[in-house]
């Protein structure tokens, strides 16, 4: 069975843009059930980032999610991964603007980030769990950062990566009901 790794951006968008319309809590139940059944995975780095983003909005709206035991990285970032980071994941033009110490600090921060944790976990578990990363990042934007975005790295590493709307479209069916007239003329 496929596993899905949620990025902070997707969880935040779920809370901000989908839950307000979830009057019968079906979407919320779907998400929490997926985490409880271990089909949806929460990495410890993502959980930490969720606590900091938007004043903890994700856990304010999905308090049950905070109780989910996150997965921790067991593998060590070896020389193969350091080479990938240095030669494939970094953006050459941005990297060249830094001295060696500045770059090493940026690289250290990247290795500790939720983005890297998602990529590292997905890559190391492709054969066992066939994970797909769900993120709202796009392949083209890099926000003037030193390292490429999740979709760009996933493409290089042959990791499946989709957006939250793509994920929801594949996982659930939505039925609409129009009540009354949407537009009423006033006299």
């Amino acid at each position: 069975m496929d596993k899905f790794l949620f990025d902070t951006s997707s969880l935040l968008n779920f809370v901000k843009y989908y839950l307000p319309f979830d009057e019968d809590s079906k979407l919320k139940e779907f998400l929490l059930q997926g985490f409880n059944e271990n089909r949806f995975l929460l990495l410890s780095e993502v959980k930490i980032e969720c606590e900091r983003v938007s004043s903890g909005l994700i856990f304010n709206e999905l308090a049950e999610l905070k109780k989910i035991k996150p997965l921790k990285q067991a593998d060590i970032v070896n020389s193969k991964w350091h080479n990938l980071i240095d030669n494939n994941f970094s953006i050459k033009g941005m990297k060249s603007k830094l001295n060696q110490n500045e770059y090493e600090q940026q690289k250290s921060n990247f290795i500790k980030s939720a983005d890297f944790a998602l990529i590292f976990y997905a890559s190391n578990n492709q054969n066992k769990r066939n994970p797909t990363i769900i993120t709202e990042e796009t392949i083209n934007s890099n926000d003037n950062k030193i390292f490429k975005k999740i979709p760009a790295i996933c493409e290089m590493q042959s990791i499946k990566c989709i957006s939250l709307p793509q994920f929801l479209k594949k996982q659930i069916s939505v039925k609409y009901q129009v009540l009354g007239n949407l537009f009423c003329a006033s006299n």
Side-chain angles (χ1 to χ4, degrees), residues 47-179:
K47 187 173 184 179
I48 290 166
E49 195 173 79
C50 286
E51 291 170 343
R52 292 192 316 247
V53 171
S54 294
S55 302
L57 178 65
I58 295 167
F59 292 134
N60 290 343
E61 295 296 321
L62 297 169
E64 301 90 340
L65 188 60
K66 194 167 188 170
K67 298 173 189 168
I68 301 293
K69 184 174 168 69
L71 296 171
K72 295 187 184 248
Q73 293 292 8
D75 297 328
I76 295 173
V77 179
N78 59 24
S79 60
K80 170 194 159 198
W81 278 95
H82 281 281
N83 286 334
L84 281 170
I85 293 166
D86 293 338
N87 300 314
N88 298 69
F89 300 171
S90 66
I91 298 169
K92 305 291 182 244
M94 299 301 292
K95 182 180 173 183
S96 66
K97 294 178 182 180
L98 303 175
N99 66 41
Q100 189 62 30
N101 288 338
E102 292 169 329
Y103 172 73
E104 290 300 327
Q105 182 60 50
Q106 291 286 332
K107 179 179 166 182
S108 175
N109 292 343
F110 178 67
I111 290 171
K112 295 173 189 171
S113 74
D115 289 4
F116 180 76
L118 289 164
I119 293 159
F120 190 68
Y121 181 90
S123 182
N124 288 334
N125 288 280
Q126 279 182 315
N127 295 332
K128 294 180 246 174
R129 296 185 176 193
N130 200 21
T132 298
I133 296 175
I134 302 169
T135 185
E136 301 315 287
E137 291 184 4
T138 61
I139 200 164
N140 297 326
S141 65
N142 77 342
D143 302 333
N144 291 321
K145 293 186 178 174
I146 306 299
F147 299 99
K148 295 175 182 171
K149 292 293 192 173
I150 292 171
I153 295 173
C154 285
E155 189 174 275
M156 283 187 278
Q157 295 298 112
S158 299
I159 297 168
K160 290 187 281 183
C161 181
I162 59 175
S163 68
L164 182 61
Q166 291 169 322
F167 167 75
L168 291 174
K169 186 176 180 181
K170 288 181 179 182
Q171 298 296 314
I172 61 175
S173 65
V174 177
K175 295 178 184 162
Y176 298 95
Q177 182 179 11
V178 178
L179 303 173

Side-chain angles (χ1 to χ4, degrees), residues 24-50:
D24 57 3
S25 296
K26 295 259 189 239
L27 274 176
K28 184 177 182 178
E29 289 172 16
F30 164 75
L31 185 76
L32 295 173
Q33 182 179 4
F35 279 107
N36 286 324
E37 293 174 353
N38 211 22
R39 289 181 295 121
F40 307 161
L41 306 175
L42 183 65
L43 298 182
S44 57
E45 293 84 352
V46 172
K47 187 173 184 179
I48 290 166
E49 195 173 79
C50 286

